[in-house]
Amino acid sequence: ALRTSYPTSSPFLTLHAVRQWNNVPFFTVPLARAHGKSFAHRSDLRQAKRIVVKLGSAVVTRGDECGLALGRLASIVEQVAMLQNQGREMMIVTSGAVAFGKQRLRHEILLSQSVRQALHSGQNQLKDMSLPVLEARACAAAGQSGLMALYEAMFTQYSTCTAQILVTNLDFHDDQKRRNLKSTLHELLRMNIVPIINTNDAVVPPPEPNSDLQGVNVISIKDNDSLAARLAVEMRADLLIALSDVEGLYDSPPGSDDAKFLDTFYPGDQHSITYGTKSRVGIGGMEAKVKAALWALQGGTSVVIANGTHPKVTGHVITDIVEGKKVGTFFSEVKPAGPTVEQQTEMARSAGRTLASFEPEQRSDIICALADLLTERKDQILSANKKDMEHAVSTGRLSPAMVKRLSLSSSKLNSLSIGLRQIAVSSQDSVGRVLRRTRVANNLELEQITVPIGVLLVIFESRPDCLPQVSALAIASGNALLLKGGKEAANTNRILHELAQEALSIHGVKDAIQLVSTREEVEDLCRLEKMIDLIIPRGSSQLVRDIQRAAKGIPVLGHSEGICHVYVDHEASVDKAIKIIRDSKCDYPAACNAMETLLVHRELLRTPLFDQLIDMLRTEHVKIHAGPKFASYLTFSPSEVKSLRTEYGDLECCIEVVDSMQEAVDHIHKYGSSHTDVIVTENEDTAEQFLQQLDSACVFWNASSRFADGYRFGLGAEVGISTARIHARGPVGLEGLLTTKWVLRGEGHTAADFSEQGSMTYLHENLPVARVLPGRKTTS
């Protein structure tokens, strides 16, 4: 190890490890900003260049408080080293010396006692050995060198150099020492070294009970929370990450019935917090952490308090915070003008319950009012949509397919209005419909009734027409709705959401539909498992896959891909085949129900039907990719397909050859996405076999794949197309947004009445069903 000497007035410092400076790759991150104000939003944390990571005692030590949590520490070191190698300046404020020293001293004492007892008392006395209470300062003195050696060994694995700095309160009260400390730290950071800082617990006096945070210029270094805050402000750090053994800040002690996690904390909210007991180790508690965090925030450093002990998140908690993900409690001086997404969800749920209790006619009134507004305010909607279109075209960030989805027109708005009126009619028989009635026993009747799912989260890209469709379906089914649209349609979505809330206002449930306009990341929304009951993604296959991965404990309804097939049988009609394939591929290539693979029976090759199909596709400017078997029949073939499982979403398709209907079915099962698949044939038996054997959500005979749509099915609209095997499947309309509950009406019945010794017997008679209106009993 290389030791570097510093002036005697500066804190004790030891420089560990020699770095091969010229051989270390760096990824430079543009991270320049003027210090003085903390970041206002989590997403801004990506800009943080200078970061202090504070590791609490509970993070560093094992559960028995004697020794270090090596695996946890190793994952933290890996994250710090990775951020350092991105060009950030990392500093660590660490606990753990006392625990490390306690383990070491206990071992030495046990060894010493065992030797003495073996010499004087015999082996039979070993079991009676007791350990004395170990003084913390002695433990710190014994543990400091071992703790630092461990950090050195771990960081060396990532070619990262470290330096140890031990400080006390006096180092901050003495101006010369404070200047020397800052100078030392700046020099280490300049040399790309990670300073590891700790209070010198071997000599530090006990904390004074009344000495605490007293303003911007004074802070008592009585624990590592206050030390980290002081260092962060002194060094003008952009971000302080304080890791402990709790998720973050709650408004009351975690574990209490009404404890609510605070994703973001504002300085004016201190009065609303009730603090609990301190951590199992260490001398700080959550109150100390909050005070230190607010002091650092006041000094211009952003702060996040998070859990560094959870085994599922420890390996990426620091990097997640720096990436702006919703982890822990973020301290911000800027309180948003509107409600948080959690508050929006609560508002929607409350209003949604009122909506679900309405008479069907009331929900129908709301939907019809929205349908009217779509045509009455057409000019406002199209004006907003024009702004979004112009911005999309000028930036060039959207593909042509996405730009087309973004566009609205008068005819599209008229179609939307018609579809909404269809939903209004179907809403008359949705919530409260009795599916089953059973007389369980005399005067004991059971009913199964349709009810709303609860709170729906619909995340959609580009397509603003999705907003009124989904809103109408949510209203009809009595569900609360949270909408997250893409920023490319922000203006259009805003006006459409205003119209939806205006329609809801006629019956006083404006808040039942909420548009998330804050900087919430999709992944963060997917973590609200206690507030959201179903997620419905509407967008690209990548969006759906990302949401399916991110959703923890929340069901996701949808499909990740729309790889739709059209199989042309050797007994197909030429006219029908050309007409169906043209419509399936060319009507709207970006749609999820557009054809992506054309399967052709081998006997059709080199026939007039096949030649006409190829000519039609070329005329429509469809780029053709040859499947392996098709390519083998051609001397000069189109580009061979890279994958038979490709969703092009454009004027492109794959052509492949099959020997039979059965081979077509097998191909679809292997390479399809269970969305929509079509057979073109005049042979009814062949068609029926295809329809029965294929297990896709939609299977068609002599009809375009573009019919896989809620509006075209007569559902009024759809929230999406599901390829799942349970709940809703295919185009999901009103029925797919309902679940059921069981209602049992008795007269003091007990299960014991039906036991062997009881006086009653089960009847289980099916009864005729009748509609249940909210708040009323059924009639037979």
Side-chain angles (χ1 to χ4, degrees), residues 164-477:
Q164 180 187 26
I165 299 180
L166 297 176
V167 297
T168 67
N169 223 350
L170 298 176
D171 295 316
F172 291 94
H173 288 302
D174 184 291
D175 289 341
Q176 182 60 44
K177 288 185 177 181
R178 190 170 68 252
R179 284 194 294 271
N180 288 340
L181 172 61
K182 289 175 66 175
S183 174
T184 297
L185 288 170
H186 279 297
E187 182 66 11
L188 292 173
L189 294 176
R190 187 188 68 80
M191 294 189 294
N192 208 37
I193 294 169
V194 177
I196 298 178
I197 305 133
N198 195 1
T199 53
N200 192 352
D201 293 327
V203 298
V204 71
E208 299 175 27
N210 297 320
S211 176
D212 217 319
L213 316 179
Q214 303 165 12
V216 176
N217 298 318
V218 180
I219 182 171
S220 171
I221 307 301
K222 64 178 191 175
D223 54 37
N224 275 340
D225 296 311
S226 50
L227 170 60
R230 181 65 185 258
L231 274 170
V233 174
E234 288 281 355
M235 293 299 295
R236 302 172 70 84
D238 300 312
L239 173 62
L240 166 59
I241 300 173
L243 298 183
S244 183
D245 57 352
V246 292
E247 305 303 319
L249 185 59
Y250 290 78
D251 61 359
S252 56
S256 58
D257 290 340
D258 298 324
K260 181 181 176 183
F261 179 74
L262 302 178
D263 161 72
T264 306
F265 184 75
Y266 306 99
D269 293 344
Q270 295 117 294
H271 64 279
S272 63
I273 305 297
T274 302
Y275 296 102
T277 58
K278 295 192 299 183
S279 168
R280 62 175 173 82
V281 290
I283 60 174
M286 184 52 73
E287 186 172 9
K289 289 174 176 57
V290 171
K291 289 181 177 179
L294 291 174
W295 192 88
L297 189 69
Q298 190 179 2
T301 297
S302 296
V303 183
V304 175
I305 295 177
N307 192 337
T309 64
H310 197 294
K312 291 186 177 179
V313 299
T314 300
H316 47 82
V317 61
I318 298 173
T319 51
D320 280 354
I321 290 170
V322 176
E323 288 171 9
K325 294 181 180 179
K326 193 174 277 190
V327 179
T329 299
F330 172 62
F331 286 71
S332 175
E333 293 184 297
V334 181
K335 198 160 189 174
T340 65
V341 67
E342 290 83 3
Q343 290 170 333
Q344 283 186 291
T345 308
E346 290 174 355
M347 291 160 59
R349 186 182 290 279
S350 177
R353 285 171 175 155
T354 304
L355 177 67
S357 70
F358 283 173
E359 299 290 338
E361 292 77 13
Q362 291 175 286
R363 289 192 295 272
S364 180
D365 289 346
I366 296 171
I367 299 168
C368 288
L370 178 55
D372 291 339
L373 289 169
L374 289 179
T375 52
E376 291 172 8
R377 310 281 178 83
K378 176 176 61 179
D379 292 342
Q380 287 178 255
I381 298 169
L382 295 179
S383 175
N385 186 245
K386 183 181 178 183
K387 291 180 183 177
D388 290 329
M389 290 289 292
E390 288 173 348
H391 184 262
V393 172
S394 64
T395 58
R397 294 176 182 172
L398 295 183
S399 66
M402 291 286 281
V403 172
K404 188 173 182 181
R405 287 183 177 184
L406 178 61
S407 173
L408 289 180
S409 62
S410 294
S411 60
K412 195 175 263 190
L413 291 175
N414 289 334
S415 296
L416 278 172
S417 181
I418 294 169
L420 263 57
R421 294 184 189 282
Q422 290 180 341
I423 297 173
V425 172
S426 62
S427 69
Q428 298 285 335
D429 190 31
S430 56
V431 181
R433 187 173 77 255
V434 181
L435 302 177
R436 176 179 177 177
R437 291 183 67 212
T438 303
R439 180 177 287 116
V440 178
N442 289 329
N443 298 317
L444 186 64
E445 292 189 5
L446 178 69
E447 294 172 339
Q448 185 184 19
I449 301 173
T450 57
V451 293
I453 289 173
V455 179
L456 312 177
L457 168 61
V458 177
I459 302 169
F460 57 102
E461 286 179 326
S462 195
R463 292 178 56 175
D465 56 329
C466 170
L467 195 152
Q469 289 179 334
V470 173
S471 297
L473 287 168
I475 294 165
S477 57

